[in-house]
């Protein structure tokens, strides 16, 4: 078939129209897909820096003066981001606006990312004062960073220099680990930047995971900020550092600093109120981000999860799959700590009373694998000889009365509601527990059996020879009693290869492979 030049022109025109239509449909408005190959919900924006004021509090804040100072810079929009407008009302200068973050029934949902039109944004703490050119230098330092992990640039506010810390966030383990960051000047990064003739001055900063000890201005790309799940959570610097660390991003701390407004020293009461409000916000943030343990640079630990006087961190376990496992995380560290403490207490009590006992099930598996609880386990299992129960006074009292008994150290011993076994809880409030399974030898067979069966595949009878004599294995910081051939015992219960091939207790609901390889679930 022959095509005339006229037909060809017509076909070309139709194709071009279709293409234009497709472009405008795919990306209404700015149509970033047609003009920019980069993907993402937030368009790149126009050159410039938007200042966001987020961390301010109480009646004594400095928002109006801070906003005035930064809005006086040419072409710098200022947004005061808050759940509700500051009250009493703050006289904002031209170029500054309130960005309301609280959803309201008569308004569309707050979309702070739509309020920022510039390519870069600076989160400025209350009381900072602008320095002409410094925001631009911060932006240039960010864009000049040859290391793609540098996603934010920081500059101190005031005369104190912040401490530069390393930060590692282990999402699965609910843990943030801080350390002392190496000085950037000691590393090969300096030589690298010297090779680029166009780099100078401010690029020489310290690479940090987190900053501590002084307020900072943080500058980052707008699209990076709004790619975070909690872009404007407070305290801003803590929130951004934790989310950045979970993505492998780092902060470049420049030597330059912004001045801070001279303010009269706060009264002791105002200081106390500010501290407790900031502590409460910090705790709420860690809860929101799922950080239950902070390991500080000196090795000390700050716990944020469950304790003796609070409920445990997860609800009733169904299908051998606790809720944290469904969320792609492992046992909260506070719970592991409480389980270890309960296990050590119970094992010591049984040992002192002369009750023959041994680690069972997943606890023995963890002991043989790593000398500890399996990192996703939710209880501890211990077997004991039923005929020895009366030797332990707590078990004897529970068996006689049927009622729970709280021992002097606050652990609660009780008969399980689910069947013929005992349970020792970390406390009355916190139901993390050790299960005690009474076994007895079936007469004339040499086989150990029991009366409580919960239908778990590993729950099987076994030859008594594993217990005569009992052996030991390291577990949760102590030497625990165990069957004398623990590997053979575990293979009998869990099947061959159980020690070498870890798997979640109920792979039909959740498999270990789903959670390995991806350090963070994003
Ligand atoms: Zn806990």
């Amino acid at each position: 078939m022959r095509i005339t030049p006229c037909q060809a022109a017509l076909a070309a025109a139709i194709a071009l129209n279709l293409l234009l239509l497709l472009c405008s449909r795919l990306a209404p408005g700015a149509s970033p897909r047609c003009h920019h190959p980069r993907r993402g919900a937030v368009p790149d924006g126009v050159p410039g820096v938007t200042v966001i004021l987020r961390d301010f509090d109480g009646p004594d804040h400095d928002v109006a003066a801070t906003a005035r100072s930064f809005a006086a810079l040419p072409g710098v929009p200022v947004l005061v981001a808050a759940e509700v407008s500051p009250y009493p009302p703050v006289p904002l200068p031209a170029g500054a606006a309130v960005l309301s973050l609280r959803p309201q029934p008569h308004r569309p949902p707050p979309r702070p990312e739509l309020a920022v039109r510039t390519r870069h944004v600076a989160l400025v703490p209350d009381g900072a004062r602008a320095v002409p050119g410094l925001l631009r230098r911060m932006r240039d330092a960010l864009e000049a960073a040859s290391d793609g992990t540098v996603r934010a640039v920081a500059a101190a506010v005031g005369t104190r220099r912040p401490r530069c810390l390393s930060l590692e966030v282990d999402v699965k383990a609910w843990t943030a680990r801080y350390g002392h960051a190496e000085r950037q000047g000691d590393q090969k990064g300096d030589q690298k930047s010297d090779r680029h003739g166009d780099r100078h001055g401010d690029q020489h900063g310290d690479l940090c995971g987190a900053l501590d000890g002084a307020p900072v201005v943080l500058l980052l790309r707008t699209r990076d900020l709004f790619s975070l799940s909690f872009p404007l959570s407070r305290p801003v610097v803590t929130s951004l550092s934790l989310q950045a660390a979970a993505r492998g991003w780092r902060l470049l701390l420049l030597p330059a600093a912004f001045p801070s407004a001279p303010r009269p020293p706060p009264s002791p009461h105002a200081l106390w109120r500010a501290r407790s409000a900031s502590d409460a916000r910090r705790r709420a943030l860690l809860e929101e981000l799922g950080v239950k343990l902070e390991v500080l640079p000196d090795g000390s630990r700050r716990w944020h999860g469950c304790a003796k006087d609070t409920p445990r961190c997860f609800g009733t376990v169904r299908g051998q799959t606790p809720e944290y496992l469904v969320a792609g995380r492992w046992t909260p560290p506070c719970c592991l700590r409480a389980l270890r403490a309960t296990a050590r207490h119970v094992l010591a009590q049984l040992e002192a009373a002369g009750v023959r006992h041994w680690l069972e099930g997943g606890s023995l598996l963890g002991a043989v694998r790593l000398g500890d609880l399996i990192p996703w386990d939710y209880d501890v299992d211990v077997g004991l000889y039923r005929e020895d129960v009366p030797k332990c006074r707590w078990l004897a009292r529970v068996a006689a009365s049927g009622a729970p008994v709280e021992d002097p150290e606050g652990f609660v011993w009780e008969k399980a509601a689910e069947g013929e076994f005992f349970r020792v809880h970390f406390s009355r409030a916190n139901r993390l527990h050790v299960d005690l399974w009474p076994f007895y030898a079936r007469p004339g067979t040499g086989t150990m059996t029991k009366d409580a069966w919960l239908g778990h595949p590993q729950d099987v009878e076994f030859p008594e020879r594993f217990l005569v004599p009992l052996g030991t294995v390291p577990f949760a910081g102590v030497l625990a009693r165990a069957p004398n051939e623990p590997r053979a015992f575990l293979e009998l219960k869990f099947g061959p290869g159980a020690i070498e091939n870890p798997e979640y207790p109920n792979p039909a609901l959740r498999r270990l492979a789903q959670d390995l390889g991806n350090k963070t679930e994003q």
Side-chain angles (χ1 to χ4, degrees):
M1 178 180 125
R2 287 186 66 98
I3 298 171
T4 66
C6 184
Q7 283 172 321
L10 189 65
I14 290 172
L16 183 66
N17 268 306
L18 278 174
L19 192 67
L20 287 174
L21 187 70
L22 190 70
C23 272
S24 62
R25 301 275 316 228
L26 274 178
S31 63
R33 275 176 202 233
C34 292
H35 300 143
H36 307 273
R38 204 181 276 125
R39 284 175 293 125
V42 182
D44 243 3
V46 300
V49 181
T50 299
V51 161
I52 299 184
L53 310 183
R54 178 68 178 118
D55 269 326
F56 57 91
D57 264 314
D60 305 323
H61 64 71
D62 178 66
V63 166
T66 308
R68 261 200 311 280
S69 172
F70 280 86
L73 297 171
V76 173
V78 174
L79 293 171
V80 177
E83 273 67 32
V84 289
S85 294
Y87 192 87
V90 173
L92 289 179
V98 172
L99 176 59
S100 174
L101 300 176
R102 176 169 294 173
Q104 299 199 59
H106 60 297
R107 293 246 169 88
R111 302 269 311 268
E113 68 275 24
L114 299 184
V116 178
R117 299 185 184 284
T118 55
R119 202 166 291 164
H120 293 85
V121 17
L123 290 140
V124 171
D126 199 34
R129 290 294 177 267
V131 173
L134 184 47
L135 287 176
R136 186 169 36 76
R137 266 147 62 206
M138 293 174 76
R139 183 199 62 196
D140 292 348
L142 176 64
E143 293 305 333
S146 50
D147 180 343
T149 65
V150 175
R151 298 294 188 97
V153 170
V157 173
T159 50
R160 255 183 314 155
R161 184 157 172 85
R163 273 204 307 165
C164 176
L165 303 175
S166 67
L167 171 56
E168 188 192 308
V169 173
D170 186 342
V171 173
K172 263 208 293 286
W174 312 75
T175 300
R177 266 185 207 87
Y178 295 89
H180 297 288
E182 295 166 58
R183 296 276 304 183
Q184 183 61 5
D186 307 337
Q187 299 174 351
K188 52 184 186 288
D190 251 16
Q191 303 158 10
K192 212 196 279 174
S193 56
D194 284 346
R195 280 206 304 270
H196 297 272
D198 56 336
R199 313 183 63 194
H200 48 82
D202 281 339
Q203 283 88 348
H204 294 275
D206 293 330
L207 279 182
C208 318
L211 298 163
D212 187 32
V216 294
V217 169
L218 269 185
L219 178 137
L220 56 174
R221 291 184 194 103
T222 305
R223 72 180 138 86
D224 279 344
L225 175 67
F226 290 111
S227 75
L228 303 176
S229 289
F230 307 94
L232 295 174
S233 284
R234 300 177 63 195
V236 166
V237 178
T238 312
S239 165
L240 293 186
S241 320
L242 287 165
Q243 294 178 82
R247 287 162 168 76
W249 297 358
R250 287 186 296 173
L251 327 172
L252 177 66
L253 173 63
L254 300 186
F258 292 87
S260 61
R263 280 200 262 185
S267 69
H269 179 70
L271 197 64
W272 170 83
R273 212 174 40 190
R275 283 227 179 98
S276 53
S278 120
D279 279 354
R281 256 198 313 277
R282 205 185 138 74
R283 276 196 304 275
L285 173 74
L286 294 173
E287 165 93 37
E288 190 172 45
L289 299 183
V291 174
K292 291 182 189 288
L293 171 61
E294 290 179 291
V295 183
L296 303 184
D298 65 0
S300 64
R301 281 153 192 258
R302 270 206 298 246
W303 298 89
H304 302 284
C306 60
K308 206 114 189 171
D309 57 348
T310 64
R312 75 174 179 186
C313 299
F314 54 94
T316 305
V317 176
R318 315 268 180 199
Q320 290 183 269
T321 306
E323 57 199 44
Y324 54 76
L325 216 49
V326 176
R329 293 188 179 220
W330 290 350
T331 315
C334 45
C335 302
L336 288 174
R337 182 168 78 142
L339 276 173
R340 288 187 196 106
T342 313
R344 284 194 296 264
H345 177 71
V346 170
L347 295 173
Q349 294 286 316
L350 296 177
E351 187 67 25
V355 175
R356 289 166 293 168
H357 65 277
W358 60 95
L359 288 182
E360 264 287 342
S363 302
L364 181 62
L365 198 53
V368 171
R369 258 188 219 148
L370 17 110
D372 198 5
L373 283 153
I374 292 175
W376 50 83
D377 213 351
Y378 51 88
D379 67 4
V380 171
D381 290 309
V382 174
L384 49 77
Y385 273 83
R386 190 176 68 177
E387 64 202 76
D388 290 353
V389 164
K391 292 184 184 173
C392 168
R393 56 181 167 147
W394 311 116
L395 289 179
R397 276 169 62 182
V398 169
S401 71
V405 175
E406 184 174 345
D407 71 24
E409 281 155 87
F411 296 91
V412 178
W413 302 64
E414 67 176 34
K415 165 121 185 357
E418 291 87 341
E420 291 302 310
F421 63 102
F422 299 95
R423 212 157 241 188
V424 186
H425 297 280
F426 182 48
S427 71
R428 269 189 198 283
N430 192 330
R431 312 297 276 176
L432 285 161
H433 56 253
V434 174
D435 282 337
L436 298 173
W437 303 94
F439 281 84
Y440 54 94
R442 198 130 40 86
T445 61
T447 297
M448 296 301 287
T449 190
K450 60 185 167 72
D451 293 337
W453 300 98
L454 298 187
H456 303 162
Q458 72 271 23
D459 208 8
V460 294
E461 298 181 340
F462 60 90
E464 190 178 11
R465 67 177 159 78
F466 281 113
L467 307 177
V468 190
L470 282 163
T472 53
V473 287
F475 179 70
V478 294
L479 261 192
R481 299 274 178 191
N484 54 45
E485 282 181 68
R487 289 187 151 265
F489 184 84
L490 286 167
E491 300 228 314
L492 172 81
K493 294 217 162 191
F494 290 93
I499 297 162
E500 291 74 21
N501 307 305
E503 182 49 278
Y504 289 160
N506 189 347
L509 289 182
R510 183 96 187 174
R511 283 173 299 105
L512 178 58
Q514 289 174 270
D515 297 331
L516 292 182
N518 55 335
K519 196 179 150 206
T520 56
E521 292 224 328
Q522 291 181 20

